[in-house]
Amino acid sequence: MKQLRPAVLAGIFVIAGVLSWAGARLWNAYGTLPGVPLAAPIVLAVIAVVLFATALSMRARLKAQRERRPGAKGVEPLMAARAVVFGQASALVAALVAGMYGGVGVFLLTESLDVPARRDQAWYAGGCVLAGAAVIAAALFLEHVLKLPEDDDPTKAPATA
């Protein structure tokens, strides 16, 4: 499994933002722009909290296991792999969603802040961007916690086919 690259996530965010901004301009020219739901930043924030809590729990369990505390509950490899996959998938989707709402938010900020409903939509879009960044940060932290140490043993013979 490969590690997430922040540059890839930033690229997804920027591309989604530009496409969303252009789509919002086009949509607004032909009718009314669909709204940014209030639930969007809330859902992203909940996912960020779940990822961060999972990372803290796994870190504490791994620390207890390394220190060989009696009764320490270890981390099952399959559970760790599932947590990392959940974190990576969440980070990728959060980058896409934050970029999408970020593009809509930029459109709303530049075009129509005089309408109170659109001003609220801009706030919700900004909340989505912040919550998406929190999801990405929590996912990268989870990935860091569950990263396996490098095998730097020079006495070990390389595997043969």
Side-chain angles (χ1 to χ4, degrees):
M1 184 179 302
K2 292 184 180 181
Q3 272 188 296
L4 280 177
R5 290 184 178 163
V8 170
L9 296 172
I12 291 171
F13 174 80
V14 169
I15 290 170
V18 169
L19 290 175
S20 178
W21 173 79
R25 286 191 60 163
L26 181 65
W27 197 313
N28 193 47
Y30 288 112
T32 60
L33 184 66
V36 179
L38 175 60
I42 294 170
V43 169
L44 286 172
V46 167
I47 292 171
V49 167
V50 167
L51 284 171
F52 190 67
T54 302
L56 290 178
S57 171
M58 296 278 190
R59 186 175 73 168
R61 289 171 68 179
L62 288 170
K63 182 179 178 185
Q65 188 177 7
R66 275 193 307 270
E67 293 174 355
R68 302 198 188 278
R69 291 184 192 158
K73 201 173 170 187
V75 176
E76 295 178 23
L78 187 59
M79 185 172 67
R82 285 179 181 160
V84 169
V85 168
F86 173 62
Q88 287 183 348
S90 297
L92 290 169
V93 170
L96 183 66
V97 169
M100 184 183 75
Y101 284 126
V104 170
V106 167
F107 170 77
L108 290 171
L109 287 174
T110 58
E111 296 294 323
S112 56
L113 272 184
D114 53 339
V115 179
R118 292 246 174 137
R119 192 174 323 122
D120 291 343
Q121 299 284 311
W123 279 107
Y124 300 157
C128 285
V129 172
L130 291 177
V135 169
I136 292 170
L140 291 174
F141 179 60
L142 176 64
E143 191 176 54
H144 172 73
V145 165
L146 294 175
K147 184 179 177 189
L148 292 174
E150 296 292 326
D151 190 18
D152 294 332
D153 190 7
T155 60
K156 203 173 189 185
T160 58

